[in-house]
Amino acid sequence: MKIDRIETTLYQVPLSTPIQAASTSVMRAFDMILVRVVDSDGATGVGYTVLHAGQGGAIATMVEKSFVPLVSGDDPRCIEAIWKKVWRTHHYVGRGGVVSFALAALDTALWDLRGRTLNEPLWRLLGGHQANVRAYAGNIDLNFPIEQLLDGATRSREAEFESIKMRLGKPTLSEDVSRVAAMRKHLGDDIELMADANEAWR
């Protein structure tokens, strides 16, 4: 079994509601790079990575121009060997950024291919023992005023989520505290409330 071909597709996905984290500007769309690995038997695995709009071209190019020539013909079942090969070959470019985003999409596609080939769900293939995991709602963003935060939380509760995540990182700590207090009061004590400061704090 060999990697027969690797296809990349770049999409730009508009957001109906702009979102923001403390470490980023307001995001009105995002780029999604889809990587499809096809083996010599015709089986396919799909992986993807997402980032801000306008940045996906570099990721797609890294996969197409650097990764494809490097791993074409390799055994797609040797996922760790492929990962190490790509990582070692590109470490001089940087151990993060474009390389990591591109490698994540390829690696995910290889794992998806492996699961499909074996007709096993990925959670079990990786040694998991539970078919179900808890899910949380994360549709609550830093650029939303408190009223919009609470409205989003209400919709999440109506969808029967029992865990909700909000973002922190306003210019002052008092703003974050008031937003958390409003959310906790709105949700009551039985709902798990999580927070993500997105590198905003010292």
Side-chain angles (χ1 to χ4, degrees):
M1 185 184 296
K2 295 180 179 181
I3 294 176
D4 184 61
R5 65 183 187 276
I6 299 173
E7 304 165 353
T8 61
T9 309
L10 172 59
Y11 298 95
Q12 187 166 104
V13 182
L15 295 171
S16 57
T17 303
I19 60 173
Q20 182 182 18
S23 59
T24 65
S25 58
V26 174
M27 192 173 180
R28 292 177 171 79
F30 66 88
D31 284 357
M32 182 176 75
I33 300 88
L34 199 72
V35 173
R36 181 175 283 105
V37 177
V38 183
D39 70 16
S40 51
D41 294 330
T44 301
V46 178
Y48 71 93
T49 190
V50 296
L51 58 165
H52 280 241
Q55 299 173 0
I59 309 301
T61 299
M62 174 66 76
V63 175
E64 292 168 355
K65 303 297 186 183
S66 297
F67 293 2
V68 172
L70 184 64
V71 304
S72 290
D74 286 0
D75 187 335
R77 295 168 295 188
C78 301
I79 299 172
E80 185 175 357
I82 291 173
W83 192 98
K84 287 181 177 179
K85 180 181 182 180
V86 173
W87 190 248
R88 280 196 310 268
T89 306
H90 292 81
H91 90 285
Y92 190 70
V93 177
R95 296 174 182 262
V98 172
V99 174
S100 291
F101 276 91
L103 184 51
L106 174 63
D107 188 60
T108 305
L110 290 169
W111 279 109
D112 185 53
L113 175 60
R114 183 77 169 137
R116 291 173 186 273
T117 301
L118 296 174
N119 197 28
E120 284 282 354
L122 190 56
W123 64 267
R124 192 157 56 216
L125 188 63
L126 296 176
H129 66 281
Q130 286 182 228
N132 299 314
V133 294
R134 293 178 64 194
Y136 70 86
N139 61 338
I140 300 168
D141 265 77
L142 196 63
N143 57 311
F144 294 174
I146 288 180
E147 295 76 17
Q148 192 173 354
L149 286 179
L150 303 184
D151 182 56
T154 298
R155 290 196 307 274
S156 295
R157 287 296 299 124
E158 290 170 350
E160 300 184 0
F161 283 97
E162 297 179 356
S163 299
I164 293 176
K165 184 176 83 169
M166 63 182 296
R167 284 193 166 130
L168 303 178
K170 284 297 206 180
T172 66
L173 181 61
S174 61
E175 289 178 89
D176 278 339
V177 170
S178 65
R179 289 163 71 86
V180 171
M183 281 290 292
R184 174 49 71 204
K185 181 178 179 182
H186 181 72
L187 292 172
D189 295 332
D190 296 332
I191 301 302
E192 182 178 47
L193 178 60
M194 299 173 287
D196 189 341
N198 288 111
E199 305 123 45
W201 295 344
R202 295 191 305 275

